[in-house]
Amino acid sequence: MKAVEIKPGIYWVGAIDWAIRDFHGYVIPNGTTYNNYIIMDEQITLLDTVKHDFSDITIGNIKSITDPSKIVNVIINHIETDHVSSIDKIMELAPDATIYISDRGKKGLDRFFDLSKWNVKVVKTGDTLNIGKRTLLFLETPMLHWPDSMMTYVKEAKLLISQDAFGQHLATAARFDDEFIECASHAELEDSVVDYYANILMPFGQLIKAKISELQRLGLEIDMIAPDHGIIWRKQPGRVIRMYQDMADGKASLRIAIIYDTMWHSTERMTLPIMQGIKDEGVDCTVIKLRATPGSIAVKELWKSRGCLIGTPTLNNTIFPSVAGFLTYLRGLRPKNRIMGAFGSYGWGGGAVKEVYEEFKKMGLETVEPGLQVVYKPSAEDEKLCYEFGRDFARKAKEYHKKFE
Ligand code: FEO
């Protein structure tokens, strides 16, 4: 690899991780990139580092442009391991450089590295750093998605270095949105944006809306967004901002995701007539079996859909473990503006469906109750009930969806 010039004198010097599939438990089928950038100005400035496994790669990329010992400033926009864990290697090469970081970032970084040997300056929203021909403006974005998070705006280049925000877990040879769309598609790129948002940023919709409004109030002209993962938005930066606004507003398609697991196929047999009922009501539907599909993909499908049905057998008087795990993951993501229902099979006691509704209540989600349970194996009569259950849920989802049109 070599550095890629993204704006005159500003280079991507990151790394592509083609092989990673498990990102702290979040399954990323397409790998990812760790993007960082260097600005060649009177004061050479590095923005972010990469995951420690790739420190040699970023240092090699930096060396393709300059001697790393000439780096004067290092901006740390976010202290999560995938972005900061090469900082010690960088500081070995540029020991006199000054690190610029948010206050919470400094406090967090101090837990991972001995900061006493480095020059560290705390910055806050509105602070600027003149590096020669260019001026950097710092914008704190607390809880998007860590307390320390911030962005850096390069005024003269109209470039927003957005750290995790607007990123995608996408390992690709393309560095820019238009390059990626040319060799893949818009749909694939947008799917990656939704996947990333659903699994990382879903809990922070209100903060995202507030931050986008703040950017607009500041009147920043943005003609490129360079996130710390995935492709750089040089052709359509406005498109990804609009996507974020829509997702933060809870927009979704009139569509229903059936997410289930099964012991001896009884709950599974219920999904087919339920799906048929939904379809006959004119609503699109997708069916996802947990244990065959990572929970992170199920979350993405749920997030794309206005409604979701959870199917679970009762095991030992409670929710089937894979479904319980999924619901725990989902609760942490604090989904909003979705209508939910549940169904499942049981042998003697039952109870899992009731518990699933209790989970929905904890999440504050709209529900269609009381759900549907069948004993042992669905009979022909039960299948008719499943079909009607699907139709009824689809009708209610259509009604609920009107609130968002
Ligand atoms: Fe890509 Fe929050 O780290």
Side-chain angles (χ1 to χ4, degrees):
M1 284 301 296
K2 62 180 177 66
V4 177
E5 192 168 36
I6 66 167
K7 285 266 184 183
I10 305 178
Y11 297 81
W12 173 89
V13 285
I16 306 173
D17 191 346
W18 300 96
I20 188 169
R21 293 293 178 269
D22 182 338
F23 193 92
H24 58 47
Y26 162 23
V27 173
I28 50 171
N30 301 312
T32 195
T33 67
Y34 312 106
N35 298 337
N36 60 338
Y37 305 93
I38 194 163
I39 305 177
M40 297 303 294
D41 209 316
E42 286 160 30
Q43 296 180 15
I44 296 175
T45 300
L46 181 71
L47 294 109
D48 296 318
T49 75
V50 298
K51 191 176 171 187
H52 55 87
D53 317 39
F54 296 86
S55 53
D56 288 350
I57 303 279
T58 193
I59 288 166
N61 288 342
I62 293 168
K63 282 181 177 169
S64 73
I65 311 169
T66 186
D67 179 343
S69 70
K70 293 183 177 166
I71 294 171
V72 175
N73 307 307
V74 179
I75 315 298
I76 299 292
N77 285 309
H78 180 28
I79 60 162
E80 194 164 2
T81 303
D82 50 329
H83 304 297
V84 85
S85 54
S86 294
I87 186 71
D88 52 345
K89 302 279 184 208
I90 296 291
M91 295 307 284
E92 271 173 27
L93 298 169
D96 296 327
T98 300
I99 294 173
Y100 292 84
I101 190 167
S102 69
D103 183 46
R104 286 167 165 178
K106 184 184 174 194
K107 286 175 182 150
L109 197 64
D110 190 44
R111 307 290 295 180
F112 297 100
F113 298 98
D114 173 10
L115 301 190
S116 64
K117 56 191 178 184
W118 300 335
N119 306 317
V120 181
K121 282 196 179 159
V122 166
V123 290
K124 58 183 187 315
T125 293
D127 287 352
T128 56
L129 175 66
N130 186 277
I131 59 170
K133 295 190 191 72
R134 299 175 186 84
T135 308
L136 310 184
L137 169 68
F138 301 108
L139 299 159
E140 290 170 279
T141 57
M143 294 320 299
L144 292 177
H145 68 120
W146 274 26
D148 63 284
S149 301
M150 69 174 195
M151 299 183 186
T152 301
Y153 178 67
V154 188
K155 281 186 183 175
E156 294 73 9
K158 299 179 185 172
L159 165 66
L160 183 67
I161 310 278
S162 61
Q163 50 96 10
D164 278 335
F166 308 119
Q168 333 87 51
H169 284 310
L170 203 52
T172 165
R175 293 279 63 78
F176 300 100
D177 51 350
D178 51 307
E179 279 181 349
F180 182 81
I181 289 161
E182 205 175 299
C183 61
S185 68
H186 247 310
E188 215 174 309
L189 182 54
E190 292 197 347
D191 190 70
S192 294
V193 172
V194 175
D195 180 78
Y196 189 93
Y197 186 102
N199 282 284
I200 294 178
L201 295 165
M202 192 196 294
F204 309 117
Q206 291 308 312
L207 291 172
I208 287 166
K209 281 167 69 171
K211 194 49 67 177
I212 290 175
S213 299
E214 187 184 325
L215 288 176
Q216 287 164 341
R217 264 199 317 278
L218 288 169
L220 304 183
E221 283 184 79
I222 299 172
D223 73 12
M224 181 182 284
I225 296 177
D228 279 1
H229 296 289
I231 60 87
I232 294 161
W233 302 90
R234 76 173 169 191
K235 193 77 177 172
Q236 298 184 310
R239 189 173 180 132
V240 73
I241 292 174
R242 277 194 301 279
M243 280 186 78
Y244 267 49
Q245 276 170 322
D246 285 350
M247 288 189 283
D249 280 336
K251 287 200 178 161
S253 301
L254 176 55
R255 188 167 175 267
I256 290 165
I258 300 176
I259 298 170
Y260 77 99
D261 214 333
T262 197
M263 284 176 69
W264 294 106
H265 304 294
S266 291
T267 299
E268 190 161 59
R269 282 197 180 99
M270 297 174 77
T271 62
L272 198 58
I274 291 172
M275 183 212 73
Q276 192 62 51
I278 293 168
K279 192 162 174 275
D280 288 353
E281 203 52 50
V283 176
D284 187 21
C285 181
T286 187
V287 181
I288 295 159
K289 181 181 179 180
L290 296 169
R291 284 190 300 161
T293 312
S296 49
I297 291 175
V299 157
K300 175 183 68 176
E301 293 302 327
L302 180 152
W303 189 239
K304 286 177 171 177
S305 309
R306 181 59 69 203
C308 176
L309 286 168
I310 298 289
T312 177
T314 294
L315 174 66
N316 298 327
N317 300 322
T318 189
I319 305 170
F320 196 66
S322 57
V323 181
F326 174 73
L327 290 170
T328 302
Y329 181 49
L330 185 63
R331 177 150 44 87
L333 291 168
R334 304 204 293 271
K336 286 187 177 57
N337 306 318
R338 301 297 185 275
I339 188 165
M340 309 292 286
F343 64 94
S345 59
Y346 66 99
W348 47 101
V353 165
K354 185 167 167 279
E355 282 188 31
V356 170
Y357 278 102
E358 285 164 10
E359 288 294 321
F360 295 157
K361 297 275 161 59
K362 283 184 206 161
M363 295 184 229
L365 293 167
E366 185 88 7
T367 56
V368 176
E369 295 185 51
L372 181 65
Q373 291 191 90
V374 305
V375 64
Y376 285 122
K377 180 186 171 195
S379 62
E381 198 51 40
D382 287 331
E383 288 189 0
K384 283 185 198 153
L385 291 174
C386 288
Y387 175 81
E388 289 306 328
F389 174 75
R391 279 201 90 137
D392 181 60
F393 186 79
R395 276 194 290 270
K396 294 198 166 115
K398 282 198 276 192
E399 201 53 40
Y400 181 68
H401 187 64
K402 284 182 189 159
K403 287 168 63 171
F404 302 93
E405 287 177 317

